[in-house]
Each structure stands twice: as structure tokens, then as C-alpha cells.
Amino acid sequence: MSTGSSPPIVVPLVLELVKEKITEIPDRYIRTTNLDQAHHPTDDPTVKYNIPVIDVEGLLSGESVLADSELKKLHSACQDWGFFQVVNHGISSLLIEKLKSEIHKLFALPLEEKKKIWQEPGDMEGFGQQFVVSNDQKLDWSDMFYITALPTRMRKPQLFAGISPLLREALEAYSLGLKNLTMILLGKMAKALKMDSNEMDEMFNDCLQRMKLNYYPPCPKAEQVMGISPHSDAGALSIILQLNETEGLQIRKDGNWVPVKPIPGALVVNVGDMIEVTQCQFLQTFSTILLH
């Protein structure tokens, strides 16, 4: 994906800075605005938020009372939050653990190995950072590996060939699991909106699915940096896998930053910019893996 007339600027991997045992943070990573608010979401003890949790097995239950209850929860989560966690989503815990292990190994590769699957000029896929177009631009304290998973015809063969066979195998299986989960969720959203589910299936059966793997190396002055800048997701659904129990992910709700407390085995779903539930604007699927 091009970022304009000029190709993205290549920046060092954060992990390589950490390996140098730095004690001061390079100025490009230091944030001075809104950082304290993000690190300390709210000091008001009366403000308590529980991000909705949707049981996918319940959504698919043959018991109408249970299925209707979960459908109402899904509809409310989309309207009132734009975020929810899903449990019993059909992707096996063994696969997820295998994926976590292989992602750790990917980011632990020597720099020379990473350079073999580095971003090409004008392209975001591979190792690097997204949308770096200025030498004055503030950078996130994170490393990224970005890859198109589906449809298979849109993959970059050199990237899949450049990762380990075990990671490739895990990504393949996880990708298919995400597609199945995406179709279930979109189909149930359509039902809640009284749309034609067959129409939804036709729109998304050949959907675009991209994976962004993020790694946040330890920072000697973590209070000065951000792992990922505040943003909204441009796609239809972002499905987020947090690889440990770190409460690093925050979402904006009623003017407050709310930490997402990971539920073991759950996935976080973000309704992106291109879906307005009340207007049924479903355009593409964007899958994200977050590594803390």
C-alpha cells in the first residue's frame, strides 16, 4: 500500500535499540501530549466499565432463549461500545499457544534474518513500522510484522516463504479460524439488523484479511513512550489476540480510556470505521494480533 508520492521512511527496529542497553529514549519516541491520561485511564472511582463478552457458542445455540440473549448482547455491544470480547469462538487453545510461541521466535530472529522479510519501498508488508513519512514524525515504541493472509491470491509469496514452516502452518490455521469467526459475527450482526444473511455471506466470503503482529520491547522509561498511538481501525472488524495478560490495550468510552482486561482464551473484537451498525456499511475484514 502506497503512503503517497514518497515511499515510507525506514526506521530502526525498537528491539535493536533495546539491545544497545540505552538509558535515554531517542527523542522521536518521546510523547509529551495525552500520555499521562492514557497511562492512567480514570481516577474516578465511580466510573467502572466492563467491556461486553459475547459467547459465540451461545450465539449459535439451538436453544432460542440463549441465542436471542447473546444476539441482543452483540447488538448492544456494537451500538454502545464498538468493542467486545468473544469466548468459545471455535479457535483451539492449542493452536493459539502454538501461534504465540512461533510469534515470539519470529521477533527474536537476528536482524540479518529479519532484513530478508523487510518492507519493500512503498509497501507496508514485512518487518518495519506503518506510515512513517517524515523524519520529524513521532514513532511508536513497537516493532511490527505485517502480512496479507486472505484471499490467498493477494499474498506475497516471498513473505510466507521467509517465515518458519511452523509459523506459516499456525498462521494458515489461525487465518481460517478468523474467517469462520468473522462470518459468524457478521451474519449475526445482519440478523440483529434484519438483513439478508445470504447477502452478507456473498459480500464477505472472499474478504480481505491482513494480520499485523506487534511486539513491544521493554522500555527503560516506559512512562515516556506509547506502544501504539491512539487510533481507530479503518476496516470492518479487527480481531485482536493479546498474547499475555498485560493490560496494555485501552479503548475510548464516554471520554475515558478503559483498559481491556484480557480473558484467558478470549479474542477482542473492534467494530471498525467502515462498519456503521445502524447503516450496515460492511466493507472489509482486518485481523490484528497484538504481542505484548
Side-chain angles (χ1 to χ4, degrees):
M1 178 183 294
S2 175
T3 55
S5 58
S6 299
I9 296 172
V10 176
V11 296
L13 291 177
V14 175
L15 183 57
E16 298 306 309
L17 295 176
V18 173
K19 287 179 180 179
E20 296 175 6
K21 302 186 185 302
I22 59 173
T23 57
E24 296 296 326
I25 307 302
D27 184 65
R28 293 195 70 183
Y29 296 93
I30 296 175
R31 303 299 183 103
T32 57
T33 59
N34 300 324
L35 192 59
D36 186 65
Q37 183 184 20
H39 283 171
H40 306 284
T42 177
D43 295 323
D44 186 348
T46 65
V47 177
K48 293 183 180 180
Y49 292 107
N50 292 312
I51 295 172
V53 178
I54 307 299
D55 187 327
V56 179
E57 285 186 0
L59 275 176
L60 300 175
S61 174
E63 183 182 337
S64 61
V65 174
L66 176 58
D68 289 346
S69 174
E70 289 300 318
L71 187 62
K72 289 178 182 177
K73 285 169 60 180
L74 176 63
H75 195 183
S76 175
C78 292
Q79 283 190 319
D80 300 334
W81 282 83
F83 269 90
F84 52 92
Q85 296 195 66
V86 290
V87 296
N88 297 321
H89 43 67
I91 302 176
S92 78
S93 58
L94 289 177
L95 172 58
I96 287 177
E97 290 307 312
K98 177 181 177 181
L99 184 63
K100 291 179 181 181
S101 175
E102 294 306 315
I103 290 173
H104 277 291
K105 293 176 185 177
L106 176 70
F107 282 100
L109 286 173
L111 180 59
E112 291 306 312
E113 291 299 312
K114 290 177 179 174
K115 286 182 177 179
K116 295 177 182 178
I117 44 177
W118 204 268
Q119 292 171 330
E120 296 290 337
D123 196 345
M124 289 191 300
E125 294 199 47
F127 272 109
Q129 282 209 24
Q130 282 184 296
F131 308 121
V132 182
V133 296
S134 166
N135 287 315
D136 299 323
Q137 185 175 335
K138 290 294 185 180
L139 300 177
D140 294 332
W141 190 263
S142 62
D143 294 333
M144 175 199 77
F145 182 78
Y146 191 82
I147 192 167
T148 296
L150 293 173
T152 56
R153 66 179 182 277
M154 294 186 68
R155 291 178 179 175
K156 289 185 167 53
Q158 71 274 19
L159 289 183
F160 271 83
I163 61 178
S164 72
L166 289 177
L167 176 56
R168 186 162 59 244
E169 180 181 282
L171 283 178
E172 290 272 14
Y174 184 70
S175 172
L176 293 176
L178 287 181
K179 180 177 180 180
N180 182 60
L181 175 60
T182 297
M183 297 307 298
I184 290 171
L185 293 175
L186 291 176
K188 294 303 179 180
M189 289 178 188
K191 182 176 180 180
L193 294 167
K194 297 180 171 53
M195 290 178 60
D196 184 346
S197 59
N198 291 328
E199 180 182 350
M200 184 68 71
D201 186 70
E202 291 174 3
M203 290 172 63
F204 282 91
N205 192 46
D206 197 30
C207 64
L208 176 64
Q209 183 192 87
R210 288 172 172 160
M211 294 190 181
K212 181 185 176 192
L213 285 59
N214 294 320
Y215 173 59
Y216 310 102
C219 181
K221 294 186 176 180
E223 71 281 359
Q224 296 182 351
V225 304
M226 272 194 174
I228 291 185
S229 304
H231 66 280
S232 60
D233 289 339
L237 292 183
S238 292
I239 301 178
I240 305 164
L241 169 62
Q242 299 188 90
L243 268 63
N244 59 30
E245 304 306 309
T246 301
E247 292 182 15
L249 178 63
Q250 297 176 7
I251 68 171
R252 191 78 163 166
K253 171 68 172 171
D254 299 334
N256 294 298
W257 285 104
V258 181
V260 177
K261 298 182 182 298
I263 298 173
L267 299 170
V268 179
V269 180
N270 174 21
V271 179
D273 295 343
M274 292 186 182
I275 291 187
E276 294 183 14
V277 174
T278 57
Q279 297 180 20
C280 313
Q281 294 177 346
F282 302 100
L283 298 180
Q284 72 170 4
T285 305
F286 186 98
S287 303
T288 307
I289 302 172
L290 293 184
L291 174 61
H292 297 271

